[in-house]
Amino acid sequence: MISAFVFDLDGVITDTAEYHYRSWKRLAEEEGIPFTREDNEQLRGVSRRESLLLLLKGRVLAESQMQEWMERKNNYYRQYLKEITSADLLPGVQAFLTETRAYGLKIGLASASKNAKDVLNGLGIMALFDAVGDGYSVSNTKPAPDLFVWVAGRLDLPPDRVVIFEDAEAGIAGALAAGMYAIGLGPAERVGKAHVILPDLRDAHVQALLDRLPATPR
Ligand code: BG6
Ligand code: MG
């Protein structure tokens, strides 16, 4: 029996990838490092530190400088967050979350972002969540199962009663490693290992999705 739906944030509920890109881009320009939109694609779902390492492409910085660059990028990113409103919810999200609640399922968040709570507040949907796992909750980031396990613990549920919604390959891998169901949003090349694949949440309905899940997650 499924008792909870747990959502990734960036790329599932809202699309902050553009703001992350502009913030990293500004830092990269200030430091004379080439950084393109294509480079930015690799940063999807990846933690702030790993994003910086990808941007550096092998360049080595002292730890104190790494900290300063990450802080600077985050300050730029937080300027964009001030502008976030419910208009930034991806299509179908509000209706699907409302339907999920009405159906009686618990709702959780599992995001690698340390800014996740501020994003949820900006979007105006914080009150819909029973548990929020963010970039502060665990040390091991996706594809490790740790964050999903942490959120399931907060919801007081075993893994096979939880369904994860993810747009990143690493997120699907983490959900499966945790022994949970995975719904992939996006192209099959990225989320093909999920139990069910959808383009987005636009026409998603709770019962129809539950009907498509196998008897066990493994
Ligand atoms: C993920 C984003 O949700 O959070 C990544 O997809 C981002 O692009 C990561 O790097 C960490 O975010 P933050 O807000 O902690 O810098
Ligand atoms: Mg994502």
Short mmCIF file of all heavy atoms in Angstrom, two decimals, residues 8-10 16-17 20 24 43-48 51 73-74 77 111-116 135 142, ligand 1:
data_model
loop_
_atom_site.label_atom_id
_atom_site.label_comp_id
_atom_site.label_asym_id
_atom_site.label_seq_id
_atom_site.Cartn_x
_atom_site.Cartn_y
_atom_site.Cartn_z
N ASP A 8 11.14 15.59 -5.72
CA ASP A 8 12.34 16.40 -5.91
C ASP A 8 11.82 17.82 -6.17
O ASP A 8 10.64 18.01 -6.48
CB ASP A 8 13.10 15.85 -7.13
CG ASP A 8 14.25 16.75 -7.54
OD1 ASP A 8 15.01 17.18 -6.68
OD2 ASP A 8 14.36 17.03 -8.75
N LEU A 9 12.68 18.81 -6.04
CA LEU A 9 12.22 20.20 -6.21
C LEU A 9 12.54 20.75 -7.61
O LEU A 9 11.64 20.98 -8.42
CB LEU A 9 12.88 21.07 -5.13
CG LEU A 9 12.51 22.55 -5.11
CD1 LEU A 9 11.03 22.75 -4.88
CD2 LEU A 9 13.31 23.27 -4.03
N ASP A 10 13.85 20.92 -7.87
CA ASP A 10 14.26 21.54 -9.14
C ASP A 10 13.99 20.61 -10.31
O ASP A 10 14.51 19.51 -10.37
CB ASP A 10 15.75 21.89 -9.10
CG ASP A 10 16.04 22.96 -8.06
OD1 ASP A 10 15.16 23.79 -7.82
OD2 ASP A 10 17.15 22.95 -7.49
N THR A 16 14.31 25.94 -11.36
CA THR A 16 15.29 26.95 -10.93
C THR A 16 16.62 26.79 -11.65
O THR A 16 17.55 27.54 -11.38
CB THR A 16 15.52 26.85 -9.41
OG1 THR A 16 15.71 25.49 -9.09
CG2 THR A 16 14.36 27.42 -8.62
N ALA A 17 16.70 25.82 -12.58
CA ALA A 17 17.97 25.56 -13.28
C ALA A 17 18.51 26.82 -13.96
O ALA A 17 19.71 27.07 -13.97
CB ALA A 17 17.80 24.45 -14.30
N HIS A 20 20.15 28.99 -11.35
CA HIS A 20 21.46 28.41 -10.98
C HIS A 20 22.47 28.74 -12.07
O HIS A 20 23.59 29.15 -11.80
CB HIS A 20 21.36 26.89 -10.82
CG HIS A 20 20.76 26.44 -9.51
ND1 HIS A 20 21.35 26.67 -8.29
CD2 HIS A 20 19.62 25.76 -9.24
CE1 HIS A 20 20.61 26.15 -7.32
NE2 HIS A 20 19.54 25.60 -7.88
N TRP A 24 25.97 30.82 -11.57
CA TRP A 24 27.30 30.23 -11.84
C TRP A 24 28.00 30.99 -12.96
O TRP A 24 29.21 31.20 -12.93
CB TRP A 24 27.18 28.75 -12.21
CG TRP A 24 26.91 27.82 -11.08
CD1 TRP A 24 25.84 26.98 -10.94
CD2 TRP A 24 27.73 27.58 -9.92
NE1 TRP A 24 25.94 26.26 -9.78
CE2 TRP A 24 27.08 26.61 -9.13
CE3 TRP A 24 28.94 28.11 -9.47
CZ2 TRP A 24 27.61 26.15 -7.92
CZ3 TRP A 24 29.46 27.65 -8.27
CH2 TRP A 24 28.80 26.69 -7.51
N LEU A 43 25.12 20.05 -14.26
CA LEU A 43 24.97 20.47 -12.87
C LEU A 43 23.59 20.15 -12.29
O LEU A 43 23.36 20.33 -11.10
CB LEU A 43 25.22 21.99 -12.74
CG LEU A 43 26.67 22.46 -12.54
CD1 LEU A 43 27.61 21.89 -13.56
CD2 LEU A 43 26.75 23.97 -12.54
N ARG A 44 22.69 19.68 -13.15
CA ARG A 44 21.32 19.35 -12.70
C ARG A 44 21.35 18.33 -11.57
O ARG A 44 21.92 17.26 -11.71
CB ARG A 44 20.52 18.74 -13.85
CG ARG A 44 19.73 19.73 -14.61
CD ARG A 44 18.99 19.06 -15.75
NE ARG A 44 18.63 20.06 -16.73
CZ ARG A 44 17.55 20.81 -16.67
NH1 ARG A 44 16.69 20.67 -15.69
NH2 ARG A 44 17.32 21.72 -17.59
N GLY A 45 20.70 18.67 -10.46
CA GLY A 45 20.55 17.73 -9.35
C GLY A 45 21.80 17.51 -8.52
O GLY A 45 21.78 16.77 -7.55
N VAL A 46 22.88 18.18 -8.91
CA VAL A 46 24.17 17.98 -8.24
C VAL A 46 24.35 19.03 -7.14
O VAL A 46 23.92 20.17 -7.28
CB VAL A 46 25.27 18.11 -9.32
CG1 VAL A 46 26.64 18.21 -8.73
CG2 VAL A 46 25.19 16.94 -10.30
N SER A 47 25.00 18.67 -6.04
CA SER A 47 25.16 19.59 -4.90
C SER A 47 26.00 20.81 -5.29
O SER A 47 26.66 20.82 -6.32
CB SER A 47 25.84 18.88 -3.73
OG SER A 47 27.20 18.66 -4.05
N ARG A 48 25.96 21.82 -4.43
CA ARG A 48 26.68 23.08 -4.72
C ARG A 48 28.18 22.83 -4.90
O ARG A 48 28.80 23.33 -5.84
CB ARG A 48 26.44 24.07 -3.58
CG ARG A 48 26.76 25.50 -3.97
CD ARG A 48 26.49 26.44 -2.81
NE ARG A 48 25.12 26.33 -2.31
CZ ARG A 48 24.70 26.86 -1.16
NH1 ARG A 48 25.54 27.54 -0.41
NH2 ARG A 48 23.45 26.71 -0.77
N SER A 51 28.87 20.97 -8.05
CA SER A 51 28.67 21.88 -9.17
C SER A 51 29.92 22.72 -9.39
O SER A 51 30.38 22.90 -10.52
CB SER A 51 27.49 22.82 -8.90
OG SER A 51 26.30 22.08 -8.75
N LYS A 73 28.34 32.61 -5.35
CA LYS A 73 27.33 32.08 -6.27
C LYS A 73 25.97 32.02 -5.57
O LYS A 73 24.94 32.38 -6.13
CB LYS A 73 27.73 30.69 -6.78
CG LYS A 73 26.72 30.05 -7.74
CD LYS A 73 25.69 29.21 -7.02
CE LYS A 73 24.60 28.71 -7.95
NZ LYS A 73 23.64 27.83 -7.25
N ASN A 74 25.98 31.57 -4.32
CA ASN A 74 24.71 31.43 -3.60
C ASN A 74 24.06 32.79 -3.36
O ASN A 74 22.84 32.91 -3.41
CB ASN A 74 24.94 30.70 -2.27
CG ASN A 74 23.63 30.25 -1.65
OD1 ASN A 74 22.78 29.65 -2.33
ND2 ASN A 74 23.42 30.56 -0.39
N TYR A 77 22.35 33.64 -6.48
CA TYR A 77 21.17 32.79 -6.65
C TYR A 77 20.03 33.27 -5.75
O TYR A 77 18.87 33.33 -6.16
CB TYR A 77 21.54 31.33 -6.32
CG TYR A 77 20.40 30.35 -6.44
CD1 TYR A 77 19.79 30.13 -7.68
CD2 TYR A 77 19.94 29.64 -5.34
CE1 TYR A 77 18.74 29.23 -7.80
CE2 TYR A 77 18.89 28.74 -5.46
CZ TYR A 77 18.30 28.54 -6.69
OH TYR A 77 17.25 27.66 -6.81
N SER A 111 15.16 17.25 -1.71
CA SER A 111 15.93 18.12 -2.61
C SER A 111 17.37 18.27 -2.11
O SER A 111 17.61 18.39 -0.91
CB SER A 111 15.28 19.51 -2.67
OG SER A 111 16.16 20.43 -3.26
N ALA A 112 18.31 18.32 -3.05
CA ALA A 112 19.73 18.51 -2.71
C ALA A 112 20.02 19.96 -2.32
O ALA A 112 21.11 20.27 -1.85
CB ALA A 112 20.60 18.12 -3.90
N SER A 113 19.04 20.84 -2.50
CA SER A 113 19.31 22.28 -2.32
C SER A 113 19.21 22.74 -0.88
O SER A 113 18.27 22.40 -0.16
CB SER A 113 18.32 23.09 -3.16
OG SER A 113 18.47 24.47 -2.87
N LYS A 114 20.18 23.54 -0.47
CA LYS A 114 20.15 24.16 0.86
C LYS A 114 19.16 25.32 0.89
O LYS A 114 18.87 25.86 1.95
CB LYS A 114 21.55 24.62 1.25
CG LYS A 114 22.47 23.44 1.51
CD LYS A 114 23.85 23.83 1.97
CE LYS A 114 24.57 22.55 2.43
NZ LYS A 114 26.00 22.72 2.59
N ASN A 115 18.66 25.70 -0.26
CA ASN A 115 17.67 26.79 -0.35
C ASN A 115 16.24 26.27 -0.50
O ASN A 115 15.32 27.05 -0.75
CB ASN A 115 18.00 27.69 -1.55
CG ASN A 115 19.33 28.43 -1.36
OD1 ASN A 115 19.45 29.25 -0.45
ND2 ASN A 115 20.32 28.12 -2.18
N ALA A 116 16.06 24.95 -0.37
CA ALA A 116 14.76 24.34 -0.69
C ALA A 116 13.60 24.95 0.11
O ALA A 116 12.53 25.22 -0.46
CB ALA A 116 14.82 22.83 -0.45
N GLY A 135 19.26 20.14 1.44
CA GLY A 135 20.72 20.01 1.37
C GLY A 135 21.41 19.95 2.72
O GLY A 135 22.61 19.71 2.78
N LYS A 142 22.44 12.47 -3.78
CA LYS A 142 21.98 11.55 -4.83
C LYS A 142 23.15 11.32 -5.79
O LYS A 142 23.85 12.27 -6.09
CB LYS A 142 20.81 12.18 -5.61
CG LYS A 142 19.63 12.58 -4.74
CD LYS A 142 18.64 13.46 -5.51
CE LYS A 142 17.63 14.09 -4.59
NZ LYS A 142 16.70 15.01 -5.26
C1 BG6 B 1 19.68 20.90 -6.76
C2 BG6 B 1 19.85 21.59 -8.10
O1 BG6 B 1 18.33 20.77 -6.46
O2 BG6 B 1 20.27 21.68 -5.74
C3 BG6 B 1 21.32 21.83 -8.36
O3 BG6 B 1 19.31 20.78 -9.12
C4 BG6 B 1 21.91 22.63 -7.21
O4 BG6 B 1 21.49 22.53 -9.58
C5 BG6 B 1 21.67 21.88 -5.90
O5 BG6 B 1 23.31 22.80 -7.39
C6 BG6 B 1 22.22 22.60 -4.68
O6 BG6 B 1 21.51 23.78 -4.51
P1 BG6 B 1 21.88 24.90 -3.45
O7 BG6 B 1 20.66 25.77 -3.41
O8 BG6 B 1 22.13 24.23 -2.14
O9 BG6 B 1 23.10 25.60 -3.95
#
